[in-house]
Amino acid sequence: MGRVAIVTGGSRGIGAAISKALKEAGHTVAATYAGNDEKAAAFTDETGIKTYKWDVASFDACKDGIAKVEEELGGPVEILVNNAGITRDAPFHKMSSEHWNSVIGTNLTGLFNMTRNVWEGMRERGFGRIVNISSVNGQKGQFAQANYSAAKAGDIGFTKALAQEGARKGITVNAICPGYINTEMMSTIPEKVMNETILPQIPVGRLGEPEEIARCVLFLTSDEAAFITGSTVSANGGQYLH
Ligand code: CAA
């Protein structure tokens, strides 16, 4: 059954793979992005998926943006994938308030801003699928990512609390914790760190592919996944077992 879905950060990286997979599954998808107009336009040309520009760190922008999506795509948002995420890595002794606030704003407060603006409608209609893209680094912590690890761990707590609230209303809320995935985000990691520190810690011996995360989202957003809520799906090549 086709539903209206929003994927934040849905025009690049893991989000682009999620947007495409949801579209292929028959849903009408809106992909949001924050900055890169050129990449977003190219994504729409390639896939036919509409893109919308707003900053998930702004509550009002999310409210207005969601209203616009619902009007243009012709229905209420029934699937929300909170995927938008940024990194501002630095060892803590070099981490600034800007590093901290920008990552918490996008990666944690962004989930509140988006979800709060679809939640009441989902409750009224008795159906919703929410998937939050957390990270292995929210589970295990990561050197130079006090900000990112805190936000991503927060995403998991948010997921577990909301799952309890949505359960009687037909809304499932789950988290996926990707490991290191082959996207542009990896380009910020020095090559030496990647080859000598990160890859040797991944038993599967490679980075994950965005499509491998998209498949998890497809599963969790299906109507048939109604009994799975509050869970954390780890897709990390065996890097972190818990
Ligand atoms: N554990 C312990 N020590 C480490 C370390 C680690 N993992 N990484 C670096 N260090 C040490 C270095 O050896 C160095 O030590 P010395 O000062 O004694 O020589 C020190 O920390 C780093 O000092 P620098 O001055 O070089 O640090 P910098 O300011 O240049 O920062 C860095 C470098 C940001 C730490 C860089 O190494 C880096 O980007 N590392 C990767 C961090 C990472 O894995 N981020 C994840 C990104 S992927 C992602 O976030 C997606 C996801 O969800 C999985």
Side-chain angles (χ1 to χ4, degrees), residues 87 89 91 94 135 137 142-145 148 179-180 186 189-190:
T87 57
D89 292 358
K94 293 183 186 169
S135 166
N137 291 343
Q142 169 60 39
F143 188 98
Q145 285 198 315
Y148 188 89
Y180 285 70
M186 294 304 127
I189 302 176

Side-chain angles (χ1 to χ4, degrees), residues 12-235:
R12 293 200 290 146
I14 293 174
I18 295 171
S19 298
K20 287 189 220 171
L22 287 171
K23 184 183 180 217
E24 275 163 30
H27 301 300
T28 307
V29 180
T32 81
Y33 69 102
N36 198 325
D37 295 319
E38 216 172 284
K39 285 253 165 75
F43 177 76
T44 301
D45 285 348
E46 179 205 325
T47 63
I49 294 169
K50 282 186 101 167
T51 52
Y52 294 83
K53 186 178 188 174
W54 76 76
D55 180 0
V56 296
S58 158
F59 184 84
D60 289 341
C62 291
K63 189 173 181 211
D64 296 346
I66 289 166
K68 188 170 177 211
V69 167
E70 292 187 334
E71 196 187 311
E72 291 189 8
L73 299 192
V77 175
E78 294 186 298
I79 297 173
L80 170 63
V81 184
N82 286 310
N83 165 78
I86 59 170
T87 57
R88 297 287 182 272
D89 292 358
F92 196 60
H93 61 276
K94 293 183 186 169
M95 189 171 283
S96 67
S97 307
E98 196 282 322
H99 285 128
W100 176 266
N101 289 331
S102 57
V103 169
I104 297 291
T106 299
N107 298 12
L108 180 58
T109 309
L111 270 63
F112 171 80
N113 294 340
M114 287 298 299
T115 309
R116 184 66 186 84
N117 281 303
V118 299
W119 189 252
E120 288 179 52
M122 287 182 175
R123 276 169 55 87
E124 279 158 23
R125 292 184 301 275
F127 182 89
R129 293 283 181 269
I130 295 171
V131 178
N132 299 319
I133 307 299
S134 176
S135 166
V136 64
N137 291 343
Q139 296 172 298
K140 71 172 185 57
Q142 169 60 39
F143 188 98
Q145 285 198 315
N147 49 1
Y148 188 89
S149 298
K152 293 294 187 178
D155 294 344
I156 296 172
F158 176 79
T159 300
K160 290 180 176 178
L162 269 196
Q164 295 175 42
E165 294 196 26
R168 295 287 176 92
K169 298 287 183 189
I171 309 170
T172 66
V173 189
N174 292 289
I176 297 171
C177 289
Y180 285 70
I181 308 298
N182 187 16
T183 66
E184 265 175 57
M185 195 180 259
M186 294 304 127
S187 64
T188 62
I189 302 176
E191 206 179 319
K192 193 169 147 59
V193 174
M194 178 58 79
N195 292 333
E196 292 175 15
T197 313
I198 295 172
L199 282 175
Q201 289 174 9
I202 305 175
V204 167
R206 62 170 175 85
L207 297 178
E209 291 301 323
E211 291 72 22
E212 293 178 301
I213 305 305
R215 278 196 281 278
C216 300
V217 174
L218 267 194
F219 175 63
L220 292 171
T221 53
S222 65
D223 284 18
E224 292 74 18
F227 203 56
I228 305 171
T229 194
S231 74
T232 303
V233 176
S234 296

